[in-house]
Amino acid sequence: MNDFRPLVLGIDAGGTMTDTLLVDEDGRFAVGKASTTPQNESVGFLESAEDAAGYWDLTSQEAFEQLSVVLYSGTGMLNTLLSRTGRRVGLIVTRGMEDAILMGRGLQAWTDYSYPDRLHAVTHQAPEPLVPRHRIYGVTERIDQFGNVVAPVYEHEAEKAAEELVAQGVEAICVCCMFSYVDDTHERQITEIVQNVLNKRDVEVPIYRSSSVRPVIREQSRLNSVVIEAYAADVSREQLVGVEEATQSQGFRYGVQTVLSYGGLAGIRYPRLHETMISGPVGGILGAKYVGDIIGSDSVIVSDMGGTSFDISAITRGNIPIENEPTLARFKLNLPTISMESIGAGAGTIIKVDPLTKKVSLGPESAGSTPGPVAFDMGGTEPTVCDCDVIMGRLNPDYFLGGKVKLNVEAAKSVFKEKVADPLGVDVYEAAEGMANMLEMDAKESMRQMISARAVDPADYALMAYGGSGPLHMAEYSRGMGFKNILTFPFAAAFSAFGCTTADYLRRYSRSVQLTLPPNADAEHRNSVAEEINRIWEGLQEAATSEMGDEGHAPADVQLEMFAQMRYTGQLEDVEVPLAMQRITADSDLDLVIKEFDELYAAINGAVAQYREAGHSITELGIVAKVEKIKPKLVRETLQGETPLAEAFKGTRSMYYNREWHEAQLWEMDYLKPGNVVAGPAVVEHPATTLVIPAGDRVWVDEWTIVHYEHAEDSSESE
């Protein structure tokens, strides 16, 4: 009988693969992997969980019966938006704003377009609206930005709008008044009228108010948020309920948790489920912060390369950046989201060659999990970067997913030769490496742009590379970037799932404000600002305590952290400032708020960018309510010698690198011990991922079993 006692299971359902990380009480990990099954995500979920449990000689039922926490993150809601398969939604807005959905924001209308397509507007198409114009009705009402009632609700208009929406067979109704973030009285009044109409017609249709979904300024993104909650949340919830039922059929005793876009956990019946829209990539950033805290590295660039995309972000001085108005699926949203950037650069990226111009392009299309790359032998007909890795001998055709998938090298080579190498008139191996290098250069350039935009020094940052394809390509996309150190992990493929398991039960509550602190503000003005801050925080704290209590968390267990969205007066972008204080109790507390902002602003943008003379503006106040949960732990082990164990060596394989063939040593990732060093040319293999080390480079394993990558130039400098 084995001695593994499963404690936490984290799942990350990506566009191509579903990754599982199973953690036991002693901090040991098992990584599972299976193809994502978008039509029924519970199928891929169970297959991936079963794969992980198998490494400990457990059945999936034996694992689930012992688990305390199951966390699920994925892209189901995002896919619902992209495929336009959500609910039939009706919308009631302030009269005069009926075309807001159709007009959108200029920024969201051009997002996801390539640079050439942005230049040539003839190719542009506005995103398809989630609510067509004939299901949008205006109601006369107006509360101004100061909370004054300018015009009452015209009740007959609201009643008529509800009657016509019911007649059109809508499945959800949204209500969004222009200044409801200041005072939601009119939204509540319209909701009551609509509910009365529904009751008379004996119709059950949920009603969503923008002031309950996201009570903050920026009406366009607030409108998008409430519409997306109505349109996609319950469709996504059905998938999550299916996942939860699958776990409980295996003996799991609790409810499944899902990851919120700003890094917290919530049950799958959470009333603002649109906050989980990009939960998958968020996990990796949480994991990077968790590992950084353990090893004493508080500034980290994270890079996640999977089969479909390359996601990057930066953690500065332990601060995870929050973007309050992200653009997702071509919608600008009021949705606090861990800030990250993403490009279509994964191993599943499809390679195209224009037959006339011979121009090569990568993606943005991906082969996904179905039909997958040509080498998968599942019906794929388009060459991908993964096929290039197979052709060059960097992937083991007999050990993909631990041998569960046999890669067809000849099929990959034949299609790649026909569609890429021959049209370009070059050798198949040279062409394959060129395509891989293009992917790596795209990834490197995206990191360079982010670093340049943030004005940070790479020498102050560690790079963490993960994802199923991260270790496969990190040697080149990190080369010459000048990072302090470069790290990857034995469980790199499931690192986002690992990050999900480090999250706590967390909620964010916020409200827009218009507060200014000029450089020489008098005592009366400063007192009024302090009183308003306290009033807002008190109201948010009551909401937080109530909602967390409804989910079974005792008030004594709820930890609160206040924050303020601030900017130098006149600027357009905010910085979120976490604050240790619970209330403003003295004038000096206001000075401390300003000091915290100034220091964080300088760390993110550079001290030279500070502009204290303009004064400070607070645009949003909020709190984060947290209840800690069980987390995995990294185990610190004793360093052993540089030479790996004999059983870690798996022989050699020919690998194409830098336009020539090398006899690369093969190593098993799980058999490498702390202190071991592996020099290139080498390939370190794991059932879920592959680490490629070209000649001259090397890796070494530290006491936390974290893998450190050193380029040839870095190694020579350290010696």
Side-chain angles (χ1 to χ4, degrees):
M1 183 176 179
N2 65 55
D3 62 345
F4 294 101
R5 296 175 296 278
L7 184 67
V8 179
L9 183 144
I11 291 275
D12 173 27
T16 305
M17 306 299 291
T18 294
D19 302 316
T20 295
L21 192 81
L22 190 60
V23 187
D24 84 340
E25 291 180 350
D26 298 320
R28 293 171 293 188
F29 305 115
V31 176
K33 209 170 184 70
S35 294
T36 296
T37 52
Q39 298 306 315
N40 183 356
E41 294 190 3
S42 65
V43 175
F45 170 91
L46 284 183
E47 289 178 355
S48 185
E50 186 176 9
D51 185 40
Y55 287 104
W56 290 346
D57 294 325
L58 296 170
T59 66
S60 59
Q61 181 150 353
E62 288 172 334
F64 278 111
E65 286 174 348
Q66 299 180 64
L67 288 169
S68 297
V69 180
V70 172
L71 311 169
Y72 188 81
S73 64
T75 57
M77 190 176 303
L78 192 58
N79 293 337
T80 299
L81 286 178
L82 294 173
S83 60
R84 294 299 194 269
T85 54
R87 279 172 161 176
R88 184 179 177 86
V89 176
L91 175 63
I92 298 175
V93 296
T94 301
R95 180 169 293 281
M97 299 296 293
E98 294 90 336
D99 291 324
I101 287 274
L102 302 181
M103 293 167 60
R105 287 273 299 274
L107 188 63
Q108 74 182 31
W110 290 93
T111 190
D112 292 343
Y113 272 69
S114 66
Y115 180 69
D117 285 339
R118 288 173 186 254
L119 288 179
H120 304 290
V122 68
T123 65
H124 177 261
Q125 283 187 315
E128 180 187 344
L130 297 183
V131 186
R133 182 62 179 82
H134 65 270
R135 293 207 301 268
I136 303 175
Y137 293 86
V139 171
T140 303
E141 66 81 30
R142 182 58 62 91
I143 291 177
D144 67 17
Q145 63 178 322
F146 305 107
N148 302 313
V149 177
V150 176
V153 173
Y154 281 32
E155 296 185 0
H156 66 285
E157 294 181 359
E159 186 172 348
K160 181 181 178 183
E163 293 278 3
E164 297 196 12
L165 287 174
V166 170
Q168 292 187 52
V170 297
E171 298 169 307
I173 296 175
C174 297
V175 180
C176 183
C177 296
M178 184 175 290
F179 289 105
S180 62
Y181 70 91
V182 178
D183 186 332
D184 66 352
T185 302
H186 284 184
E187 268 194 12
R188 290 180 179 275
Q189 188 176 347
I190 292 172
T191 298
E192 185 177 343
I193 293 168
V194 173
Q195 187 61 60
N196 288 337
V197 170
L198 295 175
N199 293 341
K200 289 177 184 177
R201 295 289 195 94
D202 195 24
V203 175
E204 289 188 14
V205 174
I207 306 171
Y208 299 82
R209 292 184 291 107
S210 75
S211 56
S212 62
V213 171
R214 189 65 56 197
V216 292
I217 201 171
R218 306 177 190 93
E219 63 275 0
Q220 182 67 52
S221 47
R222 174 161 46 91
L223 175 59
N224 283 342
S225 295
V226 70
V227 168
I228 286 173
E229 178 68 35
Y231 181 83
D234 276 355
V235 175
S236 178
R237 201 187 314 273
E238 289 173 7
Q239 288 271 29
L240 293 172
V241 169
V243 168
E244 184 173 83
E245 290 174 348
T247 66
Q248 292 172 348
S249 72
Q250 295 288 308
F252 183 56
R253 296 162 292 166
Y254 309 105
V256 168
Q257 304 291 316
T258 186
V259 182
L260 302 172
S261 61
Y262 47 80
L265 297 180
I268 63 173
R269 291 162 186 82
Y270 179 56
R272 296 184 293 279
L273 201 64
H274 76 285
E275 294 178 2
T276 69
M277 195 153 69
I278 58 162
S279 58
V282 163
I285 301 171
L286 298 177
K289 171 71 165 61
Y290 185 74
V291 172
D293 289 344
I294 290 173
I295 66 175
S297 183
D298 65 353
S299 293
V300 179
I301 301 290
V302 300
S303 64
D304 178 0
M305 182 179 285
T308 306
S309 64
F310 181 69
D311 304 315
I312 52 175
S313 186
I315 301 170
T316 301
R317 288 195 332 175
N319 178 63
I320 296 178
I322 297 293
E323 185 176 358
N324 281 286
E325 205 179 13
T327 303
L328 301 172
R330 301 186 74 193
F331 290 97
K332 198 73 174 168
L333 301 175
N334 264 329
L335 171 61
T337 302
I338 291 179
S339 179
M340 67 185 72
E341 297 176 29
S342 181
I343 63 171
T349 301
I350 291 174
I351 303 165
K352 300 184 290 290
V353 177
D354 188 292
L356 296 177
T357 65
K358 311 302 182 187
K359 178 185 176 183
V360 178
S361 59
L362 299 185
E365 300 87 0
S366 171
S369 58
T370 304
V374 176
F376 282 17
D377 248 0
M378 295 170 57
T381 59
E382 299 300 326
T384 68
V385 177
C386 177
D387 294 309
C388 297
D389 293 321
V390 174
I391 292 168
M392 293 185 291
R394 300 181 186 181
L395 284 175
N396 186 340
D398 298 318
Y399 197 56
F400 195 79
L401 296 188
K404 294 177 181 178
V405 175
K406 302 293 184 181
L407 302 179
N408 191 331
V409 181
E410 292 307 314
K413 189 184 299 183
S414 175
V415 171
F416 186 80
K417 184 177 186 299
E418 175 193 348
K419 296 194 173 185
V420 180
D422 286 353
L424 294 176
V426 297
D427 172 78
V428 66
Y429 300 107
E430 184 178 344
E433 184 168 40
M435 299 304 104
N437 287 345
M438 282 185 64
L439 176 85
E440 291 153 355
M441 288 302 297
D442 286 348
K444 179 186 285 189
E445 184 58 28
S446 68
M447 283 200 302
R448 200 187 306 277
Q449 289 178 4
M450 182 190 72
I451 289 168
S452 175
R454 293 172 182 262
V456 300
D457 184 355
D460 295 332
Y461 286 75
L463 172 69
M464 292 188 186
Y466 53 88
S469 306
L472 189 62
H473 294 279
M474 64 183 286
E476 299 309 321
Y477 76 66
S478 64
R479 193 178 300 279
M481 292 292 289
F483 292 112
K484 180 171 63 176
N485 48 21
I486 301 167
L487 314 174
T488 189
F489 308 88
F491 50 94
F495 191 79
S496 289
F498 164 79
C500 293
T501 68
T502 69
D504 289 307
Y505 303 110
L506 196 78
R507 301 287 184 281
R508 285 174 59 97
Y509 303 83
S510 63
R511 184 168 291 278
S512 289
V513 295
Q514 301 177 51
L515 302 175
T516 59
L517 284 166
N520 299 310
D522 58 32
E524 182 179 356
H525 179 80
R526 289 171 65 92
N527 286 337
S528 67
V529 169
E531 289 173 1
E532 182 66 4
I533 291 174
N534 288 337
R535 185 184 70 82
I536 297 293
W537 277 347
E538 286 170 7
L540 296 176
Q541 183 174 345
E542 289 177 8
T545 304
S546 173
E547 191 169 278
M548 296 291 273
D550 290 342
E551 293 198 7
H553 302 298
D557 295 333
V558 180
Q559 304 172 30
L560 299 177
E561 181 183 85
M562 277 50 183
F563 67 84
Q565 295 283 348
M566 297 181 65
R567 62 178 69 169
Y568 289 116
T569 300
Q571 290 187 336
L572 299 178
E573 298 295 331
D574 300 321
V575 172
E576 180 172 307
V577 185
L579 299 167
M581 65 189 70
Q582 298 285 307
R583 295 288 185 272
I584 305 294
T585 58
D587 188 66
S588 58
D589 288 340
L590 275 182
D591 292 329
L592 183 58
V593 171
I594 292 171
K595 180 176 179 290
E596 291 288 338
F597 167 77
D598 287 340
E599 291 180 353
L600 184 56
Y601 185 96
I604 296 172
N605 301 295
V608 69
Q610 288 183 327
Y611 190 30
R612 299 184 186 91
E613 296 82 358
H616 299 76
S617 294
I618 301 174
T619 60
E620 193 172 311
L621 291 166
I623 67 172
V624 175
K626 180 177 75 172
V627 176
E628 292 188 355
K629 74 159 217 341
I630 299 169
K631 296 183 179 66
K633 58 183 178 182
L634 296 182
V635 179
R636 191 169 195 165
E637 299 182 15
T638 303
L639 292 175
Q640 301 181 23
E642 291 189 0
T643 304
L645 299 172
E647 54 263 40
F649 184 64
K650 302 171 62 175
T652 63
R653 183 172 69 243
S654 293
M655 177 178 72
Y656 192 81
Y657 215 103
N658 287 335
R659 305 180 72 173
E660 60 180 330
W661 288 97
H662 302 263
E663 201 64 18
Q665 293 186 333
L666 306 179
W667 301 89
E668 180 60 46
M669 177 76 81
D670 284 343
Y671 290 166
L672 296 183
K673 301 297 181 182
N676 288 176
V677 176
V678 174
V683 179
V684 182
E685 297 180 343
H686 185 280
T689 191
T690 299
L691 170 60
V692 172
I693 311 164
D697 294 356
R698 70 175 190 175
V699 301
W700 59 277
V701 184
D702 71 9
E703 64 268 35
W704 300 103
T705 323
I706 296 170
V707 181
H708 294 245
Y709 194 100
E710 293 183 350
H711 294 105
E713 57 271 22
D714 301 328
S715 299
S716 60
E717 288 174 7
S718 63
E719 292 169 1

